[in-house]
Amino acid sequence: PRSSIGLIMPPAADLGRALCVITGASRGFGRAVALDLCRLVQPGSALVLVARSGADLRAVQAELTESEAGRAGLKVEVVAADVGKLESLENIVRTSRDVFNDEMEKIILINNAASLGDVSKYVKGFTDMAEVDAYLSLNVSSAMCLTARLLQAFPAHAGLRRCVINVSSLCALQPFRSWGLYCTGKAARDMMFKVLAEEEPELRVLSYSPGPLDTQMQVEARTKTADPSIKKTFSNMFAQGQLLTCEASSAKLMKLLLEDKFTSGEHVDVFDV
Ligand SMILES: NC(=O)c1ccc[n+]([C@@H]2O[C@H](COP(=O)([O-])OP(=O)(O)OC[C@H]3O[C@@H](n4cnc5c(N)ncnc54)[C@H](OP(=O)(O)O)[C@@H]3O)[C@@H](O)[C@H]2O)c1
């Protein structure tokens, strides 16, 4: 960012006093992002962690509240809910309102929860509209509606910076055989967040592609993928130690947030940070 007299500003040392809402925070990339945000926000901040598994979420909550940042006045709330359901979105917004206070200067929403969908079949196998609808509901509609609800609950005003992260993928840009649902969902999300960035110039919007991560989703990718060459690519990446850790990828996202130089709405890949 540039100052009003045109000087290039150094990256901020922290993310200020913030409300952070993270979906899919119980494991994998979302958990790593929660741990990083907890260290980078100022005392008086709050984190709202969302996933279906209450037990896993509470384990992350305990880790955070027992950390140094937690002891220094960070509030961590959990919402054990399926983001594909309307009442869950209401619950997330209610919890976010409850922990928000006027001293907070930033809101960061991390739309991270996702599913891979059925990768054991090709596009020609998706004859059941209900299956496709259910996939898109969880992976596209829920991110759109949660973002919209939080933007309405916390309208733009001077002194409040609002930032929405879409956890994206290379699959938003490139077709992968037998990954029809996943590629479609990620492409739709990228476009939706580009439109949002055009509509709300004050908002900071980023589609971040975290790279191939050593998580449960990768296990599914290398064991269930129908297309033999795609399946082999993922098995080889695992066998040859080419997967990134969630911590390494989350560190790159934190760098982007601290520098705050990205063009709103753009897709940024971990390997370009
Ligand atoms: N892994 C990769 O190689 C890779 C590559 C590119 C992009 N990504 C993206 O990175 C993000 C995180 O992926 P990951 O690899 O960390 O996946 P993961 O290990 O499968 O974790 C997914 C997270 O989302 C939560 N979740 C799933 N369905 C949910 C639902 N209906 N409601 C609420 N929470 C739900 C899960 O918790 P519960 O099961 O407890 O609900 C979990 O916390 C995703 O957006 C993924 O598409 C991953």
Side-chain angles (χ1 to χ4, degrees):
R2 286 176 186 273
S3 72
S4 52
I5 51 168
L7 294 174
I8 304 225
M9 308 280 283
D14 62 54
L15 293 168
R17 195 178 277 222
L19 164 66
C20 307
V21 179
I22 308 156
T23 66
S26 62
R27 59 168 193 263
F29 186 65
R31 173 182 168 274
V33 168
L35 292 170
D36 272 345
L37 287 175
C38 155
R39 286 185 299 100
L40 287 173
V41 292
Q42 282 180 6
S45 296
L47 263 62
V48 176
L49 312 178
V50 186
R52 287 165 305 176
S53 159
D56 290 351
L57 276 181
R58 280 188 292 278
V60 178
Q61 181 188 36
E63 217 175 326
L64 295 178
T65 45
E66 282 156 20
S67 70
E68 207 177 310
R71 287 193 298 271
L74 175 83
K75 241 188 213 168
V76 183
E77 293 291 333
V78 304
V79 179
D82 181 340
V83 291
K85 299 206 166 108
L86 184 64
E87 62 270 22
S88 306
L89 303 189
E90 285 164 358
N91 207 344
I92 297 166
V93 173
R94 195 177 325 113
T95 307
S96 301
R97 278 190 205 274
D98 287 349
V99 292
F100 187 78
N101 66 62
D102 289 340
E103 266 135 60
M104 290 180 180
E105 56 205 347
K106 195 175 269 187
I107 293 185
I108 303 173
L109 166 61
I110 314 272
N111 285 294
N112 167 75
S115 64
L116 190 56
D118 186 352
V119 289
S120 73
K121 58 192 189 198
Y122 297 96
V123 170
K124 69 180 178 207
F126 287 96
T127 50
D128 178 5
M129 209 144 91
E131 182 185 5
V132 178
D133 285 349
Y135 183 83
L136 294 176
S137 178
L138 169 59
N139 290 282
V140 180
S141 313
S142 80
M144 187 165 188
C145 298
L146 175 60
T147 302
R149 279 166 185 261
L150 280 172
L151 292 178
Q152 285 192 21
F154 302 101
H157 68 79
L160 182 69
R161 298 267 289 159
R162 305 183 304 168
C163 178
V164 179
I165 306 298
N166 164 35
V167 179
S168 184
S169 164
L170 182 60
C171 295
L173 311 176
Q174 272 182 33
F176 282 62
R177 286 186 297 271
S178 66
W179 284 32
L181 289 180
Y182 190 76
C183 292
T184 302
K186 290 297 189 191
R189 286 166 63 120
D190 267 34
M191 182 51 80
M192 182 231 300
F193 285 104
K194 275 189 188 154
V195 172
L196 178 65
E198 290 286 325
E199 291 172 347
E200 308 287 335
E202 141 285 334
L203 195 65
R204 302 286 290 140
V205 182
L206 173 69
S207 286
Y208 175 68
S209 178
L213 305 172
D214 193 5
T215 65
Q216 218 155 297
M217 195 179 272
Q218 272 289 328
V219 177
E220 239 181 290
R222 63 177 175 268
T223 54
K224 297 193 177 150
T225 296
D227 186 79
S229 74
I230 304 274
K231 188 176 186 183
K232 196 162 192 298
T233 303
F234 283 105
S235 302
N236 288 348
M237 279 172 101
F238 172 66
Q240 292 161 12
Q242 288 167 350
L243 298 177
L244 302 178
T245 63
C246 291
E247 290 70 26
S249 184
S250 174
K252 296 287 171 116
L253 175 59
M254 296 306 127
K255 184 168 182 269
L256 290 166
L257 289 175
L258 288 168
E259 288 176 352
D260 201 19
K261 282 191 301 206
F262 57 84
T263 302
S264 192
E266 81 176 312
H267 174 112
V268 176
D269 192 277
V270 62
F271 294 114
D272 296 328
V273 183

